[in-house]
Amino acid sequence: MKKIKIIDGPNLNLLGKREPEIYGSETLKDIQALVKSHIINRKYEFEASFFQSNSEGEIVDCIQNSNQSSNGIIINAAGFSHTSVAVLDALLAIQIPKIEVHLSNLFKREDFRHHSFISKGVNGVICGFGSNSYLLAVDGINKLI
Ligand code: DQA
């Protein structure tokens, strides 16, 4: 069975409580359950595992390890999207398909969110659909792996 890794960055552990007017009321666990159901409902032939960290180094380690353990990555690097050359370099270093997701529409928000360092290291970017961004990314990764 193929495997995909869904990586969530800093402060996404607070989803549900954190700025719900921007990020919605679902928790990260809720989103992970939605992703699992979506994979089953669509009869995709891969399984998802999940990783969340507030630490840049742990996210870099997870991306590096995914190269051996996974067939594709979906990543919401959250605030690190706008700051991290290290996360970009980790993504560039591995060959499996990668999709960047964001819950919010970055382009309707502050200027500093309009640029993502990591976009250069992924196959495609989905943003602005709330938790559905993750499900659209699952559909996208299905075509790539
Ligand atoms: C986010 C958008 C980022 O700008 C922000 O720092 C986040 C969440 C999103 O999913 O909309 O933490 O990645």
Side-chain angles (χ1 to χ4, degrees):
M1 182 74 122
K2 288 186 176 173
K3 294 180 196 316
I4 63 164
K5 180 71 81 182
I6 303 194
I7 302 173
D8 283 290
N11 302 304
L12 294 172
N13 55 313
L14 299 180
L15 283 179
K17 289 184 282 213
R18 173 194 182 204
E19 299 181 275
E21 64 289 358
I22 297 175
Y23 299 116
S25 55
E26 288 154 314
T27 65
L28 191 56
K29 276 219 161 98
D30 293 336
I31 294 174
Q32 292 170 350
L34 286 172
V35 165
K36 283 193 169 172
S37 306
H38 188 70
I39 290 169
I40 292 167
N41 294 340
R42 292 280 166 109
K43 300 187 171 40
Y44 289 148
E45 290 176 349
F46 54 81
E47 58 192 25
S49 64
F50 302 92
F51 178 79
Q52 190 277 329
S53 176
N54 295 324
S55 305
E56 189 174 13
E58 286 184 4
I59 291 170
V60 168
D61 288 340
C62 181
I63 294 168
Q64 289 184 9
N65 294 336
S66 298
N67 203 28
Q68 278 82 47
S69 62
S70 302
N71 303 94
I73 286 178
I74 294 170
I75 180 165
N76 184 350
F80 292 145
S81 315
H82 315 300
T83 63
S84 181
V85 175
V87 173
L88 169 63
D89 285 345
L91 290 167
L92 288 172
I94 65 169
Q95 291 77 40
I96 58 176
K98 296 148 272 183
I99 297 181
E100 174 182 359
V101 297
H102 300 279
L103 295 148
S104 61
N105 180 351
L106 301 179
F107 303 99
K108 280 175 90 172
R109 301 187 62 196
E110 303 95 321
D111 286 354
F112 67 85
R113 295 186 205 274
H114 296 181
H115 178 257
S116 166
F117 279 93
I118 75 165
S119 299
K120 202 175 168 26
V122 296
N123 296 70
V125 182
I126 296 167
C127 78
F129 297 90
S131 58
N132 262 324
S133 291
Y134 286 78
L135 306 186
L136 292 167
V138 167
D139 294 339
I141 210 94
N142 177 56
K143 299 275 185 200
L144 296 173
I145 64 176

